[in-house]
Amino acid sequence: MGIDLGGTSGESAFVFGVTSGYVSSALTFQNSADRTSYDVVNGGVYASFVSGTVFANALAKYDHYWIDSRSPVANFSSRYHGESYGAQGELGVRFGSDTFYAEPLVSGSYVRTDLNSPVANNASIDFDKLDGVRGKVGLRIGSAFDMGTSRAVVYLSGNAVHEFKGRDGLSFTSDSTTFNYRNDRIGTYGEGKLGINIVSASGVTGFVEGFGNYGDDYKGGGARAGLRIKL
């Protein structure tokens, strides 16, 4: 959720505000009762600027994690916490009209994550400071039309995504023996989105979006939906 705190209007418009949120997630495994649960709270500041056909968006955010890892097979459980902070910026140009538009855009983001060391059964994991730097370049297109008293926008986007960081690792220590592991960086991959955004005459906005990622090292996808009520 977020609140606009102020800004300006006109041909060159600027808006800024604050945002906060909560996330609950669980990581499970096939053929195993092992489970890691995450609870996360976050807060941040954002800003948006539009001048003619040019637009820019920026977000800075902090997250705090509470993590609970359990393995009945290995007979251990560990609770630990961590934090992330970072920023994201986007710059684009809009061509067309409200009926049909195209937006070439470029964006970049940086995130640093610091996790405490979980300890169980005389073993511990010491995580590196995890740095993520990601760049995107792509195109977003959309078309708007009326749905009774509501206005709908169908949009499609595609991006090339490159990870500039990602070789962080960890040290696993059991008694007096330590093993060091290091990740490989994910190669460049493609990202696609397809969705619809509906704004009602009463000011209620809802959206449904599907997305997918594809590359030699990374594949995935999913969907999300949201609702916004203007007070």
Side-chain angles (χ1 to χ4, degrees):
M1 60 182 180
I3 301 174
D4 290 345
L5 296 179
T8 62
S9 60
E11 185 175 345
S12 295
F14 173 73
V15 175
F16 66 94
V18 296
T19 181
S20 64
Y22 168 75
V23 177
S24 180
S25 182
L27 173 66
T28 58
F29 304 87
Q30 287 186 333
N31 305 317
S32 172
D34 293 359
R35 179 184 180 91
T36 298
S37 301
Y38 306 85
D39 290 288
V40 189
V41 294
N42 62 66
V45 294
Y46 62 86
S48 179
F49 174 75
V50 178
S51 179
T53 60
V54 178
F55 63 90
N57 300 300
L59 169 70
K61 193 162 69 76
Y62 172 83
D63 298 76
H64 191 87
Y65 310 97
W66 289 270
I67 306 170
D68 185 1
S69 294
R70 299 178 181 272
S71 175
V73 175
N75 191 31
F76 85 84
S77 64
S78 180
R79 294 183 178 182
Y80 51 104
H81 59 89
E83 61 183 5
S84 291
Y85 57 87
Q88 176 178 291
E90 178 185 69
L91 178 65
V93 181
R94 182 172 182 137
F95 299 101
S97 63
D98 290 339
T99 303
F100 180 82
Y101 65 88
E103 296 176 346
L105 52 89
V106 59
S107 68
S109 61
Y110 168 78
V111 178
R112 163 159 280 204
T113 300
D114 185 8
L115 299 176
N116 292 128
S117 299
V119 178
N121 299 342
N122 296 320
S124 65
I125 297 175
D126 183 18
F127 295 98
D128 285 349
K129 297 291 191 297
L130 309 173
D131 286 314
V133 179
R134 176 181 298 176
K136 296 183 182 181
V137 59
L139 177 69
R140 180 167 55 212
I141 60 175
S143 179
F145 54 92
D146 292 326
M147 294 180 58
T149 59
S150 301
R151 184 75 168 170
V153 177
V154 177
Y155 58 91
L156 172 69
S157 68
N159 296 296
V161 185
H162 182 75
E163 300 279 357
F164 296 94
K165 290 281 190 177
R167 294 193 174 97
D168 310 291
L170 58 85
S171 297
F172 175 74
T173 300
S174 179
D175 294 324
S176 60
T177 303
T178 299
F179 298 92
N180 296 311
Y181 300 90
R182 186 153 303 275
N183 285 326
D184 288 331
R185 186 176 63 201
I186 296 175
T188 301
Y189 61 93
E191 173 188 80
K193 293 181 181 180
L194 174 64
I196 182 170
N197 187 67
I198 299 176
V199 180
S200 71
S202 62
V204 177
T205 302
F207 75 91
V208 178
E209 178 183 273
F211 60 90
N213 304 311
Y214 185 83
D216 292 337
D217 303 322
Y218 179 52
K219 299 175 179 66
R224 64 192 188 108
L227 186 68
R228 178 179 180 181
I229 301 174
K230 186 175 181 179
L231 301 177

